[in-house]
Amino acid sequence: MKRAMSLKRPLVKGHRNAWVPAASVHEAVGQAVNYLTGLDEHRDRIREELGIEVRRASALVLVGHPGLHPDVPETEINEALRTFNSHLTRVEVLTYKELLDNAERSLAGELRSRVREQA
């Protein structure tokens, strides 16, 4: 997790008439990949000592908040990260706002399901 509003570096940068993830996002993903590599390298020991299978482990990288970029529409930031995510394996990048929005949608859907069950 990278700090939401106190991150001093940008999440996206302009490149050839498009927004692309900035260096801070690439660095965070690189850090997550290094953690996953460590899990892979110590898979047998982790399974033996802790009883945890890490073969299919994945990482969620939370980076910043679209509010840091008032000059970039939130939809453009989300689209740049979605495109970036489509090229990653085992790592997903989200902003804190996306995470909260997803949680709210999930909870709202759960609430609707329970109301239908009671009806």
PDB file of all heavy atoms in Angstrom, residues 65-66 74 78 94-109:
ATOM      1  N   HIS A  65      -4.660   8.440  -4.793  1.00  0.00           N
ATOM      2  CA  HIS A  65      -6.066   8.814  -4.892  1.00  0.00           C
ATOM      3  C   HIS A  65      -6.209   9.763  -6.079  1.00  0.00           C
ATOM      4  O   HIS A  65      -5.346  10.627  -6.282  1.00  0.00           O
ATOM      5  CB  HIS A  65      -6.492   9.510  -3.597  1.00  0.00           C
ATOM      6  CG  HIS A  65      -7.953   9.701  -3.465  1.00  0.00           C
ATOM      7  ND1 HIS A  65      -8.624  10.688  -4.138  1.00  0.00           N
ATOM      8  CD2 HIS A  65      -8.875   9.023  -2.756  1.00  0.00           C
ATOM      9  CE1 HIS A  65      -9.916  10.613  -3.828  1.00  0.00           C
ATOM     10  NE2 HIS A  65     -10.092   9.613  -3.001  1.00  0.00           N
ATOM     11  N   PRO A  66      -7.270   9.615  -6.866  1.00  0.00           N
ATOM     12  CA  PRO A  66      -7.434  10.512  -8.018  1.00  0.00           C
ATOM     13  C   PRO A  66      -7.537  11.979  -7.624  1.00  0.00           C
ATOM     14  O   PRO A  66      -7.273  12.861  -8.442  1.00  0.00           O
ATOM     15  CB  PRO A  66      -8.706  10.029  -8.699  1.00  0.00           C
ATOM     16  CG  PRO A  66      -9.341   9.065  -7.783  1.00  0.00           C
ATOM     17  CD  PRO A  66      -8.336   8.623  -6.783  1.00  0.00           C
ATOM     18  N   GLU A  74     -10.943  11.631 -13.307  1.00  0.00           N
ATOM     19  CA  GLU A  74     -10.843  10.338 -12.614  1.00  0.00           C
ATOM     20  C   GLU A  74     -11.026   9.179 -13.582  1.00  0.00           C
ATOM     21  O   GLU A  74     -10.345   8.158 -13.478  1.00  0.00           O
ATOM     22  CB  GLU A  74     -11.882  10.266 -11.497  1.00  0.00           C
ATOM     23  CG  GLU A  74     -11.833   9.002 -10.693  1.00  0.00           C
ATOM     24  CD  GLU A  74     -12.858   8.978  -9.579  1.00  0.00           C
ATOM     25  OE1 GLU A  74     -13.336  10.037  -9.155  1.00  0.00           O
ATOM     26  OE2 GLU A  74     -13.184   7.856  -9.147  1.00  0.00           O
ATOM     27  N   ASN A  78      -8.508   5.970 -14.015  1.00  0.00           N
ATOM     28  CA  ASN A  78      -8.999   4.588 -13.901  1.00  0.00           C
ATOM     29  C   ASN A  78      -8.726   3.802 -15.183  1.00  0.00           C
ATOM     30  O   ASN A  78      -8.331   2.636 -15.133  1.00  0.00           O
ATOM     31  CB  ASN A  78     -10.481   4.569 -13.574  1.00  0.00           C
ATOM     32  CG  ASN A  78     -10.777   5.090 -12.186  1.00  0.00           C
ATOM     33  OD1 ASN A  78      -9.886   5.203 -11.344  1.00  0.00           O
ATOM     34  ND2 ASN A  78     -12.026   5.429 -11.941  1.00  0.00           N
ATOM     35  N   LEU A  94      -4.924  -0.631  -8.009  1.00  0.00           N
ATOM     36  CA  LEU A  94      -6.143   0.147  -7.787  1.00  0.00           C
ATOM     37  C   LEU A  94      -5.797   1.414  -7.020  1.00  0.00           C
ATOM     38  O   LEU A  94      -4.849   1.429  -6.241  1.00  0.00           O
ATOM     39  CB  LEU A  94      -7.149  -0.622  -6.927  1.00  0.00           C
ATOM     40  CG  LEU A  94      -7.831  -1.853  -7.468  1.00  0.00           C
ATOM     41  CD1 LEU A  94      -8.710  -2.472  -6.387  1.00  0.00           C
ATOM     42  CD2 LEU A  94      -8.660  -1.522  -8.681  1.00  0.00           C
ATOM     43  N   THR A  95      -6.617   2.440  -7.194  1.00  0.00           N
ATOM     44  CA  THR A  95      -6.518   3.595  -6.304  1.00  0.00           C
ATOM     45  C   THR A  95      -7.368   3.294  -5.071  1.00  0.00           C
ATOM     46  O   THR A  95      -8.236   2.411  -5.083  1.00  0.00           O
ATOM     47  CB  THR A  95      -7.040   4.882  -6.969  1.00  0.00           C
ATOM     48  OG1 THR A  95      -8.441   4.736  -7.225  1.00  0.00           O
ATOM     49  CG2 THR A  95      -6.287   5.198  -8.250  1.00  0.00           C
ATOM     50  N   TYR A  96      -7.115   4.023  -4.018  1.00  0.00           N
ATOM     51  CA  TYR A  96      -7.908   3.849  -2.805  1.00  0.00           C
ATOM     52  C   TYR A  96      -9.385   4.105  -3.094  1.00  0.00           C
ATOM     53  O   TYR A  96     -10.258   3.410  -2.594  1.00  0.00           O
ATOM     54  CB  TYR A  96      -7.437   4.807  -1.706  1.00  0.00           C
ATOM     55  CG  TYR A  96      -6.144   4.376  -1.059  1.00  0.00           C
ATOM     56  CD1 TYR A  96      -4.923   4.718  -1.607  1.00  0.00           C
ATOM     57  CD2 TYR A  96      -6.148   3.621   0.105  1.00  0.00           C
ATOM     58  CE1 TYR A  96      -3.730   4.328  -1.009  1.00  0.00           C
ATOM     59  CE2 TYR A  96      -4.977   3.222   0.706  1.00  0.00           C
ATOM     60  CZ  TYR A  96      -3.770   3.577   0.139  1.00  0.00           C
ATOM     61  OH  TYR A  96      -2.602   3.175   0.725  1.00  0.00           O
ATOM     62  N   LYS A  97      -9.664   5.098  -3.928  1.00  0.00           N
ATOM     63  CA  LYS A  97     -11.059   5.409  -4.251  1.00  0.00           C
ATOM     64  C   LYS A  97     -11.721   4.254  -4.990  1.00  0.00           C
ATOM     65  O   LYS A  97     -12.868   3.907  -4.704  1.00  0.00           O
ATOM     66  CB  LYS A  97     -11.153   6.686  -5.071  1.00  0.00           C
ATOM     67  CG  LYS A  97     -12.601   7.103  -5.323  1.00  0.00           C
ATOM     68  CD  LYS A  97     -12.700   8.490  -5.875  1.00  0.00           C
ATOM     69  CE  LYS A  97     -14.129   8.959  -5.998  1.00  0.00           C
ATOM     70  NZ  LYS A  97     -15.081   8.022  -6.529  1.00  0.00           N
ATOM     71  N   GLU A  98     -11.006   3.634  -5.938  1.00  0.00           N
ATOM     72  CA  GLU A  98     -11.567   2.470  -6.636  1.00  0.00           C
ATOM     73  C   GLU A  98     -11.880   1.343  -5.655  1.00  0.00           C
ATOM     74  O   GLU A  98     -12.916   0.690  -5.771  1.00  0.00           O
ATOM     75  CB  GLU A  98     -10.598   1.941  -7.686  1.00  0.00           C
ATOM     76  CG  GLU A  98     -10.532   2.732  -8.963  1.00  0.00           C
ATOM     77  CD  GLU A  98      -9.583   2.099  -9.941  1.00  0.00           C
ATOM     78  OE1 GLU A  98      -8.371   2.054  -9.662  1.00  0.00           O
ATOM     79  OE2 GLU A  98     -10.066   1.628 -10.985  1.00  0.00           O
ATOM     80  N   LEU A  99     -10.986   1.107  -4.717  1.00  0.00           N
ATOM     81  CA  LEU A  99     -11.203   0.055  -3.723  1.00  0.00           C
ATOM     82  C   LEU A  99     -12.466   0.340  -2.917  1.00  0.00           C
ATOM     83  O   LEU A  99     -13.308  -0.545  -2.730  1.00  0.00           O
ATOM     84  CB  LEU A  99      -9.996  -0.060  -2.792  1.00  0.00           C
ATOM     85  CG  LEU A  99     -10.123  -1.112  -1.689  1.00  0.00           C
ATOM     86  CD1 LEU A  99     -10.085  -2.517  -2.282  1.00  0.00           C
ATOM     87  CD2 LEU A  99      -9.010  -0.931  -0.673  1.00  0.00           C
ATOM     88  N   LEU A 100     -12.623   1.568  -2.453  1.00  0.00           N
ATOM     89  CA  LEU A 100     -13.808   1.928  -1.672  1.00  0.00           C
ATOM     90  C   LEU A 100     -15.076   1.866  -2.517  1.00  0.00           C
ATOM     91  O   LEU A 100     -16.111   1.383  -2.057  1.00  0.00           O
ATOM     92  CB  LEU A 100     -13.639   3.314  -1.055  1.00  0.00           C
ATOM     93  CG  LEU A 100     -12.561   3.415   0.018  1.00  0.00           C
ATOM     94  CD1 LEU A 100     -12.370   4.860   0.448  1.00  0.00           C
ATOM     95  CD2 LEU A 100     -12.890   2.533   1.208  1.00  0.00           C
ATOM     96  N   ASP A 101     -15.002   2.343  -3.760  1.00  0.00           N
ATOM     97  CA  ASP A 101     -16.165   2.277  -4.655  1.00  0.00           C
ATOM     98  C   ASP A 101     -16.581   0.829  -4.902  1.00  0.00           C
ATOM     99  O   ASP A 101     -17.773   0.496  -4.888  1.00  0.00           O
ATOM    100  CB  ASP A 101     -15.872   2.967  -5.990  1.00  0.00           C
ATOM    101  CG  ASP A 101     -15.754   4.474  -5.875  1.00  0.00           C
ATOM    102  OD1 ASP A 101     -16.118   5.035  -4.814  1.00  0.00           O
ATOM    103  OD2 ASP A 101     -15.275   5.097  -6.848  1.00  0.00           O
ATOM    104  N   ASN A 102     -15.595  -0.056  -5.118  1.00  0.00           N
ATOM    105  CA  ASN A 102     -15.899  -1.482  -5.324  1.00  0.00           C
ATOM    106  C   ASN A 102     -16.546  -2.088  -4.086  1.00  0.00           C
ATOM    107  O   ASN A 102     -17.499  -2.877  -4.188  1.00  0.00           O
ATOM    108  CB  ASN A 102     -14.624  -2.264  -5.660  1.00  0.00           C
ATOM    109  CG  ASN A 102     -14.055  -1.918  -7.016  1.00  0.00           C
ATOM    110  OD1 ASN A 102     -14.706  -1.284  -7.838  1.00  0.00           O
ATOM    111  ND2 ASN A 102     -12.817  -2.310  -7.244  1.00  0.00           N
ATOM    112  N   ALA A 103     -16.045  -1.730  -2.909  1.00  0.00           N
ATOM    113  CA  ALA A 103     -16.610  -2.250  -1.662  1.00  0.00           C
ATOM    114  C   ALA A 103     -18.047  -1.771  -1.487  1.00  0.00           C
ATOM    115  O   ALA A 103     -18.924  -2.549  -1.094  1.00  0.00           O
ATOM    116  CB  ALA A 103     -15.748  -1.819  -0.471  1.00  0.00           C
ATOM    117  N   GLU A 104     -18.314  -0.503  -1.775  1.00  0.00           N
ATOM    118  CA  GLU A 104     -19.672   0.031  -1.659  1.00  0.00           C
ATOM    119  C   GLU A 104     -20.626  -0.681  -2.610  1.00  0.00           C
ATOM    120  O   GLU A 104     -21.740  -1.031  -2.234  1.00  0.00           O
ATOM    121  CB  GLU A 104     -19.683   1.534  -1.920  1.00  0.00           C
ATOM    122  CG  GLU A 104     -19.104   2.342  -0.780  1.00  0.00           C
ATOM    123  CD  GLU A 104     -19.034   3.828  -1.082  1.00  0.00           C
ATOM    124  OE1 GLU A 104     -19.424   4.256  -2.203  1.00  0.00           O
ATOM    125  OE2 GLU A 104     -18.593   4.562  -0.188  1.00  0.00           O
ATOM    126  N   ARG A 105     -20.193  -0.916  -3.851  1.00  0.00           N
ATOM    127  CA  ARG A 105     -21.045  -1.626  -4.817  1.00  0.00           C
ATOM    128  C   ARG A 105     -21.320  -3.050  -4.345  1.00  0.00           C
ATOM    129  O   ARG A 105     -22.439  -3.555  -4.450  1.00  0.00           O
ATOM    130  CB  ARG A 105     -20.391  -1.641  -6.197  1.00  0.00           C
ATOM    131  CG  ARG A 105     -20.626  -0.390  -6.997  1.00  0.00           C
ATOM    132  CD  ARG A 105     -20.205  -0.565  -8.458  1.00  0.00           C
ATOM    133  NE  ARG A 105     -18.801  -0.878  -8.611  1.00  0.00           N
ATOM    134  CZ  ARG A 105     -17.832   0.027  -8.629  1.00  0.00           C
ATOM    135  NH1 ARG A 105     -18.124   1.303  -8.489  1.00  0.00           N
ATOM    136  NH2 ARG A 105     -16.575  -0.340  -8.802  1.00  0.00           N
ATOM    137  N   SER A 106     -20.302  -3.695  -3.815  1.00  0.00           N
ATOM    138  CA  SER A 106     -20.453  -5.061  -3.331  1.00  0.00           C
ATOM    139  C   SER A 106     -21.437  -5.120  -2.168  1.00  0.00           C
ATOM    140  O   SER A 106     -22.318  -5.988  -2.115  1.00  0.00           O
ATOM    141  CB  SER A 106     -19.093  -5.618  -2.910  1.00  0.00           C
ATOM    142  OG  SER A 106     -19.210  -6.933  -2.458  1.00  0.00           O
ATOM    143  N   LEU A 107     -21.298  -4.198  -1.232  1.00  0.00           N
ATOM    144  CA  LEU A 107     -22.210  -4.164  -0.084  1.00  0.00           C
ATOM    145  C   LEU A 107     -23.631  -3.837  -0.510  1.00  0.00           C
ATOM    146  O   LEU A 107     -24.588  -4.411   0.017  1.00  0.00           O
ATOM    147  CB  LEU A 107     -21.721  -3.150   0.952  1.00  0.00           C
ATOM    148  CG  LEU A 107     -20.458  -3.544   1.707  1.00  0.00           C
ATOM    149  CD1 LEU A 107     -19.970  -2.374   2.560  1.00  0.00           C
ATOM    150  CD2 LEU A 107     -20.699  -4.769   2.567  1.00  0.00           C
ATOM    151  N   ALA A 108     -23.788  -2.925  -1.464  1.00  0.00           N
ATOM    152  CA  ALA A 108     -25.129  -2.576  -1.949  1.00  0.00           C
ATOM    153  C   ALA A 108     -25.773  -3.784  -2.619  1.00  0.00           C
ATOM    154  O   ALA A 108     -26.960  -4.059  -2.428  1.00  0.00           O
ATOM    155  CB  ALA A 108     -25.056  -1.403  -2.920  1.00  0.00           C
ATOM    156  N   GLY A 109     -24.992  -4.534  -3.397  1.00  0.00           N
ATOM    157  CA  GLY A 109     -25.516  -5.742  -4.045  1.00  0.00           C
ATOM    158  C   GLY A 109     -25.910  -6.791  -3.024  1.00  0.00           C
ATOM    159  O   GLY A 109     -26.939  -7.455  -3.165  1.00  0.00           O
TER     160      GLY A 109
END
